[in-house]
Amino acid sequence: MTELIAVQGDITTLQVDAIVNAANTSLLGGGGVDGAIHRAAGPELFAACEKLNGCATGDAKATPGFRLPAKWVFHAVGPVWQGGGRGEDELLAGCYRRCLELARQHEVRSMAFPAISTGVYRFPPDRAARIAIETVRTHAERSGVETVHFVCFNRETLDIYVRLLRNFSPPVER
Ligand code: AR6
């Protein structure tokens, strides 16, 4: 069974096969975790992103990690929160699902997600964490990923993930 772990910290420092970026549709960088990843990976990352022709909301595209400890970066584009009636939940779930598909394609065994859309894009953190955990629980096994880290930048987000992960009981073994 895939292990799901909540940790507090800076995603750019993680020694995993792949880290996920909370990008925008241009894939040409920005603030928040996107800015931190581009700074840590170096200018080669920007050059690689330029060749991808952007990315739709709810989708994700892969590049190498360049100077990062991680081998891959999966650039996911989360939805901007607009009150919840514009398909935001499904689009956010799409980010996690697509990243797990990329993980399978790139034979990733360990990966790390930030709390996509919960910063500048203002998605409510508790609702976003539920979607993140449910989607990863549903699709992780098939992806071949053994360990998924949910990287929380602050204590409040960590508390949400710890509480939700504790409440999700493992599936019954038959
Ligand atoms: N490591 C882990 N998590 C982080 C880090 C870090 N180094 N830095 C910030 N976070 P945001 P979004 C958390 O705003 O809401 C960018 O400009 C942060 O506390 O980075 O999806 C893009 O280019 C929050 O919980 O992403 C887009 O234009 C979470 O990461 C736009 O922001 C996501 O916050 C995307 O907005």
Side-chain angles (χ1 to χ4, degrees):
M1 206 174 103
T2 309
E3 191 182 15
L4 274 53
I5 309 169
V7 292
Q8 190 175 352
D10 176 358
I11 201 166
T12 64
T13 64
L14 259 72
Q15 310 254 354
V16 287
D17 295 337
I19 65 169
V20 174
N21 185 13
N24 58 60
T25 54
S26 78
L27 297 185
L28 298 179
V33 68
D34 196 3
I37 288 173
H38 275 271
R39 278 193 298 279
E44 300 94 332
L45 182 62
F46 183 83
C49 285
E50 269 189 313
K51 296 186 187 136
L52 296 176
N53 285 318
C55 181
T57 303
D59 196 2
K61 292 188 178 179
T63 66
F66 299 103
R67 300 178 199 181
L68 288 164
K71 187 172 177 200
W72 301 103
V73 180
F74 300 154
H75 304 265
V77 183
V80 177
W81 179 256
Q82 296 179 80
R86 298 277 183 91
E88 292 96 322
D89 290 351
E90 184 44 45
L91 290 166
L92 186 63
C95 291
Y96 288 89
R97 202 168 49 236
R98 281 288 300 131
C99 285
L100 289 166
E101 283 173 16
L102 291 173
R104 183 161 50 98
Q105 284 166 22
H106 294 288
E107 299 181 349
V108 160
R109 295 284 169 262
S110 59
M111 68 187 296
F113 286 97
I116 300 169
S117 283
T118 65
V120 178
Y121 284 178
R122 304 181 318 272
F123 206 107
D126 191 88
R127 184 163 169 153
R130 283 172 195 276
I131 292 167
I133 293 170
E134 278 177 20
T135 310
V136 169
R137 273 245 188 276
T138 307
H139 297 279
E141 221 57 57
R142 228 168 55 90
S143 71
V145 177
E146 290 161 6
T147 313
V148 173
H149 301 258
F150 292 107
V151 184
C152 307
F153 207 45
N154 55 46
R155 184 61 206 231
E156 293 71 40
T157 310
L158 180 71
D159 288 346
I160 292 170
Y161 273 90
V162 167
R163 177 169 47 78
L164 289 174
L165 286 171
R166 208 187 289 132
N167 292 345
F168 272 91
S169 49
V172 180
E173 281 183 37
R174 293 175 195 278

